Amino acid sequence: KKPLQETGFIRDKDEVPVDSMVGEFATVLENLDAQRIGKVELHGTSWTARNAGTSTLGKGSQAKVIRVEGLTLWIQADPITQEESHVG
């Protein structure tokens, strides 16, 4: 028999290191007030996230991951996408 790792059940080499998510952009899945916890999607997976910014993040907006603490992503509004959403 092959060890579990060779059968594909354990994919530790394929997993994205959590620390490498800092600087990436997640999609906000629900309106998320400043300093509150909610849900975001990153790499096709739903994550718990804390809005580290000072303004509400709207559902569907993009937010930058600035820190990872355990299984919680700390996010804040991306200034570029925020400016675009206020135009018009």
Coordinates of all heavy atoms in Angstrom, one line a residue:
K1 N 0.8 -1.2 0.0 CA 0.0 0.0 0.0 C 0.9 1.2 0.0 O 1.9 1.3 0.6 CB -0.9 0.0 1.2 CG -2.0 -1.0 1.2 CD -2.9 -0.8 2.4 CE -4.1 -1.7 2.2 NZ -5.1 -1.5 3.3
K2 N 0.4 2.3 -0.6 CA 1.1 3.6 -0.7 C 0.7 4.4 0.6 O -0.4 4.3 1.1 CB 0.7 4.4 -1.9 CG 1.1 3.8 -3.2 CD 0.7 4.7 -4.3 CE 1.2 4.1 -5.7 NZ 0.8 5.0 -6.8
P3 N 1.7 5.2 1.0 CA 1.3 6.1 2.1 C 0.2 7.1 1.7 O 0.1 7.4 0.5 CB 2.7 6.9 2.4 CG 3.7 6.0 1.8 CD 3.1 5.3 0.6
L4 N -0.5 7.6 2.6 CA -1.6 8.5 2.3 C -1.2 9.7 1.4 O -1.9 10.1 0.5 CB -2.3 9.0 3.6 CG -3.3 8.1 4.2 CD1 -3.8 8.7 5.5 CD2 -4.4 7.7 3.3
Q5 N 0.0 10.2 1.7 CA 0.5 11.4 1.0 C 0.6 11.1 -0.5 O 0.3 11.9 -1.3 CB 1.8 11.8 1.5 CG 2.2 13.2 1.0 CD 3.3 13.8 1.8 OE1 3.9 13.2 2.7 NE2 3.6 15.1 1.6
E6 N 1.0 9.9 -0.9 CA 1.2 9.5 -2.3 C -0.2 9.3 -3.0 O -0.3 9.3 -4.2 CB 2.1 8.3 -2.4 CG 3.5 8.6 -2.1 CD 4.4 7.4 -2.2 OE1 4.0 6.4 -2.9 OE2 5.5 7.4 -1.6
T7 N -1.2 9.0 -2.2 CA -2.5 8.7 -2.8 C -3.3 9.9 -3.1 O -4.4 9.9 -3.7 CB -3.4 7.8 -1.9 OG1 -3.6 8.5 -0.7 CG2 -2.7 6.5 -1.6
G8 N -2.8 11.1 -2.6 CA -3.5 12.3 -2.9 C -4.5 12.8 -1.8 O -5.1 13.8 -1.9
F9 N -4.6 12.0 -0.7 CA -5.5 12.4 0.4 C -4.9 13.5 1.2 O -5.6 14.3 1.8 CB -5.8 11.2 1.3 CG -6.7 10.2 0.6 CD1 -6.2 8.9 0.2 CD2 -8.0 10.5 0.4 CE1 -7.1 8.0 -0.4 CE2 -8.9 9.6 -0.2 CZ -8.4 8.4 -0.6
I10 N -3.6 13.5 1.3 CA -2.9 14.6 2.0 C -2.2 15.5 0.9 O -1.4 15.0 0.2 CB -1.9 14.1 3.0 CG1 -2.6 13.2 4.1 CG2 -1.1 15.2 3.7 CD1 -1.7 12.5 5.0
R11 N -2.6 16.8 0.9 CA -2.0 17.6 -0.2 C -1.2 18.8 0.4 O -1.3 19.9 -0.1 CB -3.2 18.2 -1.0 CG -4.1 17.1 -1.6 CD -5.2 17.7 -2.4 NE -5.7 18.9 -1.7 CZ -6.3 19.9 -2.3 NH1 -6.4 20.0 -3.6 NH2 -6.8 20.9 -1.6
D12 N -0.4 18.5 1.4 CA 0.3 19.6 2.0 C 1.2 20.4 1.1 O 1.3 21.6 1.2 CB 1.0 19.2 3.3 CG 2.1 18.2 3.0 OD1 2.1 17.6 1.9 OD2 2.9 17.9 3.9
K13 N 1.7 19.8 0.1 CA 2.6 20.5 -0.9 C 1.8 21.3 -1.8 O 2.3 22.3 -2.4 CB 3.5 19.5 -1.6 CG 4.5 18.8 -0.7 CD 5.4 17.9 -1.5 CE 6.4 17.2 -0.6 NZ 7.3 16.3 -1.3
D14 N 0.5 21.0 -2.1 CA -0.3 21.7 -3.0 C -1.0 22.9 -2.3 O -1.5 23.8 -3.0 CB -1.4 20.8 -3.6 CG -0.8 19.7 -4.5 OD1 0.4 19.9 -4.9 OD2 -1.4 18.7 -4.6
E15 N -1.1 22.9 -1.0 CA -1.8 23.9 -0.3 C -1.1 25.3 -0.4 O 0.1 25.3 -0.4 CB -2.0 23.6 1.2 CG -2.7 22.3 1.5 CD -4.2 22.4 1.3 OE1 -4.7 23.5 1.5 OE2 -4.9 21.5 0.8
V16 N -1.9 26.3 -0.5 CA -1.3 27.7 -0.5 C -0.9 28.1 1.0 O -1.8 28.0 1.8 CB -2.3 28.7 -1.1 CG1 -1.7 30.1 -1.0 CG2 -2.6 28.3 -2.5
P17 N 0.3 28.4 1.3 CA 0.6 28.8 2.6 C -0.2 30.0 3.0 O -0.4 31.0 2.2 CB 2.1 29.2 2.6 CG 2.6 28.6 1.3 CD 1.4 28.5 0.4
V18 N -0.8 30.0 4.2 CA -1.7 31.1 4.7 C -1.0 32.4 4.6 O -1.6 33.4 4.2 CB -2.2 30.8 6.1 CG1 -3.1 31.9 6.6 CG2 -3.0 29.5 6.1
D19 N 0.3 32.5 5.0 CA 1.0 33.8 5.0 C 1.1 34.4 3.6 O 1.2 35.6 3.5 CB 2.4 33.6 5.6 CG 2.3 33.4 7.1 OD1 1.3 33.6 7.7 OD2 3.3 32.9 7.7
S20 N 1.1 33.5 2.6 CA 1.2 34.1 1.2 C -0.1 34.8 0.8 O -0.1 35.4 -0.3 CB 1.6 33.0 0.3 OG 0.4 32.2 0.0
M21 N -1.1 34.7 1.5 CA -2.4 35.4 1.2 C -2.3 36.9 1.4 O -3.1 37.6 0.9 CB -3.6 34.8 1.9 CG -3.9 33.4 1.5 SD -5.3 32.8 2.4 CE -5.1 31.1 2.3
V22 N -1.4 37.3 2.3 CA -1.2 38.8 2.5 C -0.9 39.5 1.2 O 0.0 39.0 0.5 CB -0.2 39.0 3.6 CG1 0.1 40.5 3.8 CG2 -0.6 38.4 4.9
G23 N -1.7 40.5 0.9 CA -1.5 41.3 -0.3 C -2.4 40.8 -1.4 O -2.5 41.5 -2.4
E24 N -3.1 39.7 -1.2 CA -4.1 39.3 -2.2 C -5.4 39.9 -2.0 O -5.6 40.6 -0.9 CB -4.2 37.8 -2.2 CG -2.9 37.1 -2.6 CD -3.1 35.7 -3.0 OE1 -4.2 35.4 -3.6 OE2 -2.3 34.8 -2.8
F25 N -6.3 39.8 -2.9 CA -7.6 40.4 -2.8 C -8.7 39.4 -2.7 O -8.8 38.4 -3.4 CB -7.9 41.3 -4.1 CG -7.0 42.5 -4.1 CD1 -5.8 42.4 -4.7 CD2 -7.4 43.7 -3.5 CE1 -5.0 43.6 -4.7 CE2 -6.6 44.8 -3.4 CZ -5.3 44.7 -4.1
A26 N -9.6 39.6 -1.7 CA -10.7 38.7 -1.4 C -12.0 39.4 -1.8 O -12.1 40.7 -1.8 CB -10.8 38.4 0.1
T27 N -13.0 38.7 -2.1 CA -14.4 39.2 -2.4 C -15.2 39.1 -1.2 O -15.4 38.1 -0.6 CB -15.0 38.4 -3.6 OG1 -14.2 38.4 -4.7 CG2 -16.4 39.0 -3.9
V28 N -15.8 40.3 -0.8 CA -16.6 40.4 0.4 C -18.0 39.7 0.1 O -18.6 40.1 -0.9 CB -16.8 41.9 0.8 CG1 -17.6 42.0 2.1 CG2 -15.4 42.5 1.1
L29 N -18.4 38.8 0.9 CA -19.6 38.1 0.7 C -20.9 38.7 1.4 O -22.0 38.2 1.1 CB -19.5 36.6 1.1 CG -18.4 35.8 0.4 CD1 -18.3 34.4 1.0 CD2 -18.7 35.8 -1.1
E30 N -20.6 39.6 2.3 CA -21.7 40.3 3.0 C -21.3 41.7 3.4 O -20.1 41.9 3.5 CB -22.2 39.5 4.2 CG -21.0 39.3 5.2 CD -21.3 38.2 6.2 OE1 -22.3 37.4 6.1 OE2 -20.6 38.2 7.2
N31 N -22.2 42.6 3.5 CA -21.8 43.9 4.0 C -21.0 43.8 5.3 O -21.5 43.1 6.2 CB -23.0 44.9 4.2 CG -23.6 45.3 2.9 OD1 -22.9 45.2 1.8 ND2 -24.9 45.6 2.9
L32 N -19.9 44.4 5.4 CA -19.0 44.2 6.6 C -18.6 45.6 7.1 O -17.8 46.3 6.5 CB -17.8 43.4 6.1 CG -16.8 43.0 7.2 CD1 -17.5 42.2 8.3 CD2 -15.8 42.0 6.6
D33 N -19.2 45.9 8.3 CA -18.9 47.2 8.9 C -17.4 47.2 9.4 O -16.8 46.2 9.7 CB -19.8 47.5 10.1 CG -21.2 47.7 9.7 OD1 -21.4 48.2 8.6 OD2 -22.2 47.4 10.4
A34 N -16.9 48.4 9.6 CA -15.5 48.6 10.1 C -15.4 47.9 11.5 O -16.2 47.9 12.3 CB -15.2 50.1 10.3
Q35 N -14.2 47.2 11.6 CA -13.9 46.5 12.8 C -14.8 45.3 13.2 O -14.8 44.8 14.3 CB -13.7 47.4 14.0 CG -12.8 48.6 13.8 CD -11.4 48.1 13.4 OE1 -10.8 47.2 14.1 NE2 -10.8 48.7 12.4
R36 N -15.6 44.8 12.2 CA -16.5 43.7 12.4 C -16.0 42.5 11.7 O -15.2 42.6 10.8 CB -17.9 44.0 12.0 CG -18.5 45.2 12.7 CD -18.8 44.8 14.1 NE -19.5 45.9 14.8 CZ -19.6 45.9 16.1 NH1 -19.2 45.0 16.9 NH2 -20.2 46.9 16.7
I37 N -16.6 41.3 12.0 CA -16.2 40.1 11.4 C -17.3 39.6 10.5 O -18.5 39.7 10.8 CB -15.9 39.0 12.5 CG1 -14.6 39.4 13.3 CG2 -15.7 37.6 11.9 CD1 -14.3 38.5 14.4
G38 N -16.9 39.1 9.3 CA -17.8 38.6 8.3 C -17.2 37.5 7.5 O -16.2 36.9 7.9
K39 N -17.7 37.3 6.3 CA -17.2 36.3 5.4 C -16.7 36.9 4.1 O -17.3 37.9 3.5 CB -18.3 35.3 5.0 CG -18.8 34.5 6.2 CD -17.7 33.5 6.6 CE -18.2 32.6 7.7 NZ -17.2 31.7 8.2
V40 N -15.6 36.3 3.6 CA -15.0 36.7 2.3 C -14.7 35.4 1.5 O -14.7 34.3 2.1 CB -13.8 37.6 2.4 CG1 -14.1 38.9 3.1 CG2 -12.6 36.8 3.1
E41 N -14.5 35.6 0.2 CA -14.1 34.4 -0.6 C -12.7 34.7 -1.2 O -12.4 35.8 -1.7 CB -15.0 34.2 -1.7 CG -14.7 32.9 -2.5 CD -15.7 32.7 -3.6 OE1 -16.9 32.6 -3.3 OE2 -15.3 32.5 -4.8
L42 N -11.8 33.7 -1.0 CA -10.4 33.9 -1.6 C -10.0 32.5 -2.1 O -10.2 31.5 -1.3 CB -9.5 34.4 -0.5 CG -8.0 34.6 -0.9 CD1 -7.9 35.6 -2.0 CD2 -7.2 35.0 0.3
H43 N -9.5 32.4 -3.3 CA -9.1 31.1 -3.9 C -10.3 30.1 -3.9 O -10.0 28.9 -3.7 CB -7.9 30.5 -3.2 CG -6.7 31.4 -3.3 ND1 -6.1 31.6 -4.5 CD2 -6.0 32.0 -2.3 CE1 -5.0 32.4 -4.3 NE2 -4.9 32.6 -3.0
G44 N -11.5 30.6 -4.1 CA -12.7 29.7 -4.1 C -13.1 29.1 -2.8 O -14.0 28.3 -2.7
T45 N -12.5 29.7 -1.7 CA -12.9 29.2 -0.4 C -13.4 30.4 0.5 O -13.0 31.5 0.4 CB -11.6 28.6 0.3 OG1 -11.1 27.6 -0.5 CG2 -12.0 28.1 1.7
S46 N -14.5 30.1 1.3 CA -15.0 31.1 2.2 C -14.2 31.1 3.4 O -13.8 30.1 4.0 CB -16.5 30.7 2.5 OG -17.0 31.6 3.4
W47 N -13.8 32.4 3.8 CA -13.0 32.6 5.0 C -13.7 33.6 6.0 O -14.5 34.4 5.5 CB -11.7 33.3 4.6 CG -10.8 32.4 3.8 CD1 -10.8 32.3 2.5 CD2 -9.7 31.7 4.3 NE1 -9.8 31.4 2.1 CE2 -9.1 31.0 3.2 CE3 -9.2 31.5 5.6 CZ2 -8.0 30.2 3.4 CZ3 -8.1 30.6 5.7 CH2 -7.5 30.0 4.6
T48 N -13.4 33.5 7.2 CA -13.8 34.5 8.2 C -12.8 35.6 8.0 O -11.6 35.4 7.9 CB -13.7 33.9 9.6 OG1 -14.6 32.8 9.7 CG2 -14.1 34.9 10.7
A49 N -13.4 36.8 8.1 CA -12.5 38.0 7.9 C -12.9 39.1 8.8 O -14.1 39.3 9.1 CB -12.6 38.5 6.4
R50 N -11.9 39.9 9.2 CA -12.2 41.1 10.0 C -11.9 42.3 9.2 O -10.8 42.4 8.6 CB -11.3 41.1 11.3 CG -11.5 42.4 12.1 CD -10.6 42.4 13.4 NE -11.1 41.4 14.3 CZ -12.0 41.6 15.3 NH1 -12.7 42.8 15.3 NH2 -12.3 40.7 16.1
N51 N -12.8 43.2 9.1 CA -12.6 44.5 8.4 C -11.7 45.4 9.3 O -12.2 46.0 10.3 CB -13.9 45.2 8.1 CG -13.8 46.5 7.4 OD1 -12.7 47.0 7.2 ND2 -14.9 47.0 7.0
A52 N -10.5 45.5 9.0 CA -9.5 46.3 9.7 C -9.6 47.8 9.4 O -8.9 48.6 10.0 CB -8.1 45.8 9.5
G53 N -10.4 48.1 8.4 CA -10.5 49.5 7.9 C -11.5 50.3 8.8 O -12.0 49.9 9.8
T54 N -11.7 51.6 8.3 CA -12.6 52.5 9.0 C -13.9 52.7 8.3 O -14.7 53.5 8.8 CB -11.8 53.9 9.2 OG1 -11.5 54.4 7.9 CG2 -10.6 53.7 10.0
S55 N -14.1 52.0 7.2 CA -15.4 52.2 6.5 C -16.0 50.8 6.2 O -15.3 49.8 6.2 CB -15.2 53.0 5.2 OG -14.3 52.3 4.4
T56 N -17.3 50.8 5.9 CA -18.0 49.6 5.6 C -17.6 49.1 4.2 O -17.4 49.8 3.3 CB -19.5 49.8 5.6 OG1 -19.9 50.2 6.9 CG2 -20.3 48.6 5.2
L57 N -17.4 47.8 4.1 CA -17.1 47.1 2.9 C -18.4 46.5 2.4 O -19.0 45.7 3.1 CB -16.0 46.0 3.1 CG -14.7 46.5 3.5 CD1 -13.8 45.3 3.9 CD2 -14.0 47.3 2.4
G58 N -18.8 46.9 1.2 CA -20.0 46.4 0.6 C -19.9 45.0 0.0 O -18.8 44.6 -0.4
K59 N -21.0 44.2 0.0 CA -21.1 42.9 -0.6 C -20.6 43.0 -2.0 O -21.0 43.8 -2.8 CB -22.5 42.4 -0.5 CG -22.7 41.0 -1.0 CD -24.1 40.5 -0.9 CE -24.2 39.1 -1.5 NZ -25.6 38.6 -1.3
G60 N -19.7 42.1 -2.4 CA -19.2 42.0 -3.8 C -18.0 42.9 -4.0 O -17.4 42.8 -5.1
S61 N -17.6 43.7 -3.0 CA -16.4 44.5 -3.2 C -15.1 43.7 -3.0 O -15.2 42.6 -2.4 CB -16.5 45.7 -2.3 OG -16.4 45.3 -0.9
Q62 N -14.0 44.3 -3.5 CA -12.7 43.6 -3.3 C -12.0 44.3 -2.1 O -12.1 45.5 -1.9 CB -11.9 43.8 -4.5 CG -12.4 43.1 -5.8 CD -12.4 41.6 -5.6 OE1 -11.3 41.0 -5.5 NE2 -13.5 41.0 -5.7
A63 N -11.4 43.4 -1.3 CA -10.7 43.9 -0.1 C -9.3 43.3 -0.1 O -9.2 42.1 -0.4 CB -11.4 43.7 1.1
K64 N -8.3 44.0 0.3 CA -6.9 43.5 0.4 C -6.7 42.8 1.7 O -7.0 43.4 2.8 CB -6.0 44.7 0.2 CG -4.5 44.2 0.0 CD -3.7 45.5 -0.3 CE -2.3 45.0 -0.6 NZ -1.5 46.2 -1.1
V65 N -6.1 41.6 1.7 CA -5.7 40.9 2.9 C -4.4 41.6 3.4 O -3.4 41.7 2.7 CB -5.4 39.4 2.6 CG1 -5.0 38.7 3.9 CG2 -6.7 38.8 2.0
I66 N -4.5 42.1 4.6 CA -3.3 42.8 5.2 C -2.6 42.0 6.3 O -1.5 42.3 6.7 CB -3.7 44.2 5.8 CG1 -4.8 44.1 6.8 CG2 -4.1 45.1 4.6 CD1 -4.9 45.3 7.6
R67 N -3.3 40.9 6.8 CA -2.8 40.1 7.9 C -3.6 38.8 8.0 O -4.8 38.8 7.6 CB -2.9 41.0 9.2 CG -2.5 40.3 10.4 CD -2.6 41.4 11.5 NE -2.9 40.8 12.8 CZ -3.3 41.5 13.9 NH1 -3.4 42.8 13.8 NH2 -3.6 40.9 15.0
V68 N -3.0 37.8 8.5 CA -3.6 36.5 8.7 C -3.4 36.2 10.2 O -2.3 36.1 10.6 CB -3.1 35.4 7.8 CG1 -3.8 34.1 8.1 CG2 -3.3 35.8 6.3
E69 N -4.5 35.9 10.9 CA -4.4 35.6 12.3 C -5.2 34.3 12.5 O -6.4 34.3 12.5 CB -4.9 36.7 13.2 CG -4.6 36.5 14.7 CD -5.0 37.8 15.4 OE1 -4.3 38.8 15.4 OE2 -6.1 37.7 16.1
G70 N -4.5 33.2 12.7 CA -5.2 31.9 12.8 C -5.9 31.6 11.5 O -5.3 31.6 10.4
L71 N -7.2 31.5 11.5 CA -8.0 31.2 10.3 C -8.8 32.5 9.9 O -9.7 32.4 9.1 CB -8.9 30.0 10.5 CG -8.2 28.7 10.7 CD1 -9.2 27.6 11.0 CD2 -7.4 28.4 9.5
T72 N -8.5 33.6 10.5 CA -9.1 34.9 10.2 C -8.2 35.7 9.3 O -7.1 36.0 9.6 CB -9.5 35.6 11.5 OG1 -10.4 34.8 12.3 CG2 -10.2 36.9 11.2
L73 N -8.8 36.2 8.2 CA -8.1 37.2 7.3 C -8.5 38.6 7.8 O -9.6 38.9 8.0 CB -8.5 37.0 5.9 CG -8.4 35.6 5.3 CD1 -8.9 35.6 3.8 CD2 -7.0 35.1 5.4
W74 N -7.5 39.4 8.0 CA -7.7 40.8 8.3 C -7.7 41.5 6.9 O -6.7 41.4 6.2 CB -6.6 41.4 9.2 CG -6.8 40.9 10.6 CD1 -6.8 39.6 11.0 CD2 -7.0 41.6 11.8 NE1 -7.0 39.5 12.4 CE2 -7.1 40.8 12.9 CE3 -7.1 43.0 12.0 CZ2 -7.3 41.2 14.2 CZ3 -7.2 43.5 13.3 CH2 -7.4 42.6 14.4
I75 N -8.7 42.3 6.6 CA -8.9 42.9 5.3 C -9.1 44.4 5.5 O -9.6 44.9 6.5 CB -10.0 42.3 4.5 CG1 -11.3 42.4 5.2 CG2 -9.7 40.8 4.2 CD1 -12.5 41.9 4.4
Q76 N -8.9 45.1 4.4 CA -9.3 46.5 4.3 C -9.6 46.9 2.9 O -9.1 46.2 2.0 CB -8.2 47.4 4.9 CG -6.9 47.5 4.1 CD -5.8 48.3 4.8 OE1 -5.9 48.6 6.0 NE2 -4.8 48.7 4.1
A77 N -10.3 48.0 2.7 CA -10.7 48.4 1.4 C -9.4 48.7 0.6 O -8.4 49.2 1.1 CB -11.5 49.7 1.5
D78 N -9.5 48.3 -0.7 CA -8.5 48.7 -1.7 C -8.7 50.1 -2.2 O -9.8 50.3 -2.7 CB -8.5 47.7 -2.8 CG -7.4 48.0 -3.9 OD1 -6.3 48.4 -3.5 OD2 -7.8 47.9 -5.0
P79 N -7.8 51.0 -2.0 CA -8.1 52.4 -2.4 C -8.4 52.5 -3.9 O -9.3 53.4 -4.2 CB -6.7 53.1 -2.1 CG -6.0 52.3 -1.1 CD -6.5 50.9 -1.4
I80 N -7.9 51.7 -4.7 CA -8.1 51.9 -6.2 C -9.6 51.4 -6.5 O -10.3 52.1 -7.2 CB -7.1 51.0 -7.0 CG1 -5.7 51.6 -6.8 CG2 -7.5 51.0 -8.5 CD1 -4.6 50.8 -7.3
T81 N -10.0 50.3 -6.0 CA -11.4 49.8 -6.2 C -12.4 50.7 -5.5 O -13.5 50.9 -6.0 CB -11.6 48.4 -5.8 OG1 -11.3 48.2 -4.5 CG2 -10.7 47.4 -6.6
Q82 N -12.0 51.3 -4.4 CA -12.9 52.2 -3.7 C -13.2 53.5 -4.5 O -14.3 53.9 -4.7 CB -12.4 52.6 -2.3 CG -12.5 51.5 -1.3 CD -13.9 51.3 -0.8 OE1 -14.8 50.9 -1.6 NE2 -14.2 51.5 0.4
E83 N -12.1 54.0 -5.1 CA -12.2 55.2 -6.0 C -13.1 54.9 -7.2 O -14.0 55.7 -7.5 CB -10.9 55.7 -6.4 CG -10.0 56.3 -5.3 CD -8.6 56.7 -5.8 OE1 -8.4 56.7 -7.0 OE2 -7.8 56.9 -4.9
E84 N -13.0 53.8 -7.8 CA -13.7 53.4 -9.0 C -15.2 53.3 -8.6 O -16.1 53.7 -9.4 CB -13.2 52.1 -9.6 CG -11.9 52.2 -10.2 CD -11.3 50.9 -10.6 OE1 -11.9 49.9 -10.4 OE2 -10.2 50.9 -11.2
S85 N -15.5 52.8 -7.4 CA -16.9 52.6 -7.0 C -17.6 53.9 -6.7 O -18.8 53.9 -6.7 CB -17.0 51.6 -5.8 OG -16.5 52.2 -4.7
H86 N -16.9 55.0 -6.5 CA -17.5 56.3 -6.2 C -17.6 57.2 -7.4 O -18.2 58.2 -7.3 CB -16.7 57.0 -5.1 CG -16.7 56.3 -3.7 ND1 -17.9 56.3 -3.0 CD2 -15.8 55.6 -3.0 CE1 -17.7 55.6 -1.9 NE2 -16.4 55.2 -1.9
V87 N -17.0 56.7 -8.5 CA -17.1 57.5 -9.8 C -18.5 57.4 -10.4 O -19.0 56.3 -10.5 CB -16.0 57.1 -10.8 CG1 -16.1 57.8 -12.1 CG2 -14.6 57.3 -10.2
G88 N -19.0 58.5 -10.9 CA -20.3 58.5 -11.6 C -21.4 58.8 -10.6 O -22.5 58.9 -10.8

